[in-house]
Amino acid sequence: MNMPSQISQTLSEEFALPDLELLTITLARLLAAIVLGGLVGLERENKGRAAGVKTHILVSMGSALFVLAPLQMGIDGGDVTRVMQGIVSGIGFLGAGAILKLDNEERIQGLTTAAGIWMTAAIGMTAGMGMYMAAAVTTLAALVVVSALPRLMPDKSESTLHR
């Protein structure tokens, strides 16, 4: 086989569409991560927070892909948990960037945004593992916490702790 045809054959094998089952699983899990992460992001964006729809979708989708890829390669479950540990650590740095310490020692802003990014990563990992019900229920619970719960709490407009 000559070199150009060998290159052509290698490229066609490398970029060939996966079987229909693998393609469907990949699309379903990534779509679930996109939709669920987007719901959390939409709520945060509607409240005017720095991390909105795009950020939450990217965090959720990236987290889903980080667990989906090793699972599809047949990597052992114990090794996938190490991947998940890395995601949690990495997301911690992203969340830390969302937290601002303002003018005095008591005024902090961005804690809820950082927690939302962290939660969205967990939702994405769960969707990436194919645990759709757990991801959906967790998304609903997160939306209740950031939307409904503040309405039940006393007004903290005079507080020095800001979300």
Side-chain angles (χ1 to χ4, degrees):
M1 182 180 281
N2 63 20
M3 194 155 121
S5 68
Q6 188 177 14
I7 291 171
S8 175
Q9 180 181 347
T10 302
L11 286 173
S12 68
E13 289 172 6
E14 188 68 22
F15 291 102
L17 288 175
D19 63 70
L20 191 56
E21 181 182 359
L22 184 61
L23 182 61
T24 303
I25 289 170
T26 301
L27 290 174
R29 291 181 184 187
L30 289 176
L31 183 61
I34 289 166
V35 169
L36 297 174
L39 289 172
V40 176
L42 184 63
E43 188 283 332
R44 300 312 295 159
E45 193 161 299
N46 285 339
K47 285 191 174 172
R49 304 305 182 218
V53 175
K54 292 182 288 186
T55 302
H56 284 79
I57 287 175
L58 290 173
V59 166
S60 185
M61 185 172 53
S63 298
L65 184 59
F66 275 125
V67 296
L68 178 60
L71 289 172
Q72 288 184 345
M73 290 180 61
I75 303 264
D76 178 67
D79 291 331
V80 175
T81 62
R82 284 192 283 284
V83 170
M84 294 169 76
Q85 291 169 356
I87 295 168
V88 172
S89 296
I91 291 299
F93 285 105
L94 183 63
I99 300 171
L100 300 173
K101 185 173 179 293
L102 301 175
D103 52 4
N104 63 38
E105 293 178 18
E106 298 173 10
R107 192 158 176 223
I108 299 171
Q109 188 171 358
L111 290 174
T112 303
T113 297
I117 290 169
W118 181 72
M119 177 55 67
T120 302
I123 291 166
M125 285 188 281
T126 306
M129 292 172 53
M131 301 172 63
Y132 303 111
M133 186 58 68
V137 168
T138 303
T139 301
L140 179 62
L143 290 172
V144 166
V145 167
V146 295
S147 295
L149 194 59
R151 293 181 192 149
L152 302 174
M153 304 295 288
D155 183 22
K156 299 218 178 197
S157 59
E158 299 297 319
S159 172
T160 56
L161 184 63
H162 297 277
R163 288 180 287 243

